[in-house]
């Protein structure tokens, strides 16, 4: 069976959780202890989650990789050829009543059946390409939304930490 494959190339940042708050560089500008840093980090984490509705520890990465869509009309040209041959032979025999009509009918039926089947198969390819494009667009939108949500969380977390006299980058 024939498959149409579309590979999505998403941002490298989306393939890992590298943008989560644990990769932010936090400097205790006010001389805070490690214990105070841990307490402030947790409190700011909770506050940022409450403010944004985004928890980077549970936020799911969007699906990446290949999208495979099947052409449901694959092989229609061959089916049309054989069905047209049989139908044309039967019709040619019925109308002419001898083997010459059967052969002529089979040739005409095969040609017409093949043309109809190939056209149907091509329409199936177009439909498969359209379905694949819709899926690719949905994945791209999910990736964009994921990144936006994570950026919102990081901004809120950073604002909280900076308000507690930490330098965040």
């Amino acid at each position: 069976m024939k498959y149409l494959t579309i590979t999505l190339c998403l941002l490298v940042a989306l393939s890992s959780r590298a943008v989560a708050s644990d990769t932010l560089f936090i400097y205790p500008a006010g001389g805070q202890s490690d214990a105070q840093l841990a307490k402030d980090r947790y409190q700011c984490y909770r506050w940022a989650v409450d403010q944004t509705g985004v928890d980077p520890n549970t936020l799911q990465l969007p699906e990446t990789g290949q999208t495979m869509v099947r052409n449901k009309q694959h092989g229609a040209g061959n089916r049309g050829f054989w069905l047209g041959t049989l139908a044309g032979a039967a019709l040619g025999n019925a109308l002419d009543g001898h083997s010459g009509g059967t052969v002529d009918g089979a040739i005409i039926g095969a040609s017409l059946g093949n043309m109809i089947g190939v056209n149907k198969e091509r329409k199936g390819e177009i439909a498969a390409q359209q379905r694949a494009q819709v899926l690719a667009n949905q994945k791209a939108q999910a990736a964009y939304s994921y990144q936006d949500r994570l950026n919102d969380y990081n901004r809120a977390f950073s604002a909280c930490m900076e308000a507690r006299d930490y330098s965040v980058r």
Side-chain angles (χ1 to χ4, degrees):
M1 296 188 169
K2 184 177 182 180
Y3 288 92
L4 176 66
T5 303
I6 293 181
T7 303
L8 296 175
C9 296
L10 297 175
L11 299 172
V12 173
L14 294 179
S15 65
S16 69
R17 291 199 178 261
V19 292
S21 67
D22 60 346
T23 62
L24 292 175
F25 294 97
I26 301 170
Y27 179 76
Q32 298 92 330
S33 67
D34 288 343
Q36 185 63 43
L37 171 62
K39 180 180 176 185
D40 290 339
R41 271 183 80 107
Y42 178 74
Q43 289 175 347
C44 286
Y45 157 78
R46 293 296 332 143
W47 182 82
V49 169
D50 289 343
Q51 294 299 307
T52 63
V54 176
D55 185 342
N57 296 322
T58 61
L59 187 62
Q60 295 294 312
L61 287 168
E63 181 182 328
T64 61
Q66 297 180 338
T67 300
M68 301 193 49
V69 178
R70 181 177 179 266
N71 176 359
K72 295 177 182 178
Q73 299 301 325
H74 180 68
N78 288 335
R79 286 189 298 276
F81 174 83
W82 291 111
L83 291 174
T85 300
L86 295 173
L91 188 59
N93 188 39
L95 294 176
D96 198 12
H98 60 81
S99 63
T102 303
V103 173
D104 291 342
I107 292 170
I108 293 169
S111 298
L112 288 174
N114 190 45
M115 287 190 314
I116 292 168
V118 167
N119 185 44
K120 191 173 186 180
E121 188 168 349
R122 179 66 186 129
K123 286 180 181 178
E125 285 179 23
I126 292 169
Q129 288 171 349
Q130 290 170 343
R131 284 192 310 274
Q133 187 61 49
V134 166
L135 291 173
N137 290 343
Q138 289 171 347
K139 283 184 178 183
Q141 182 61 38
Y144 181 74
S145 176
Y146 171 87
Q147 189 63 48
D148 279 349
R149 295 179 70 204
L150 205 49
N151 287 342
D152 288 345
Y153 168 84
N154 282 336
R155 281 193 309 275
F157 179 83
S158 295
C160 179
M161 291 297 286
E162 287 171 359
R164 294 172 183 236
D165 201 23
Y166 290 91
S167 177
V168 182
R169 299 285 182 261

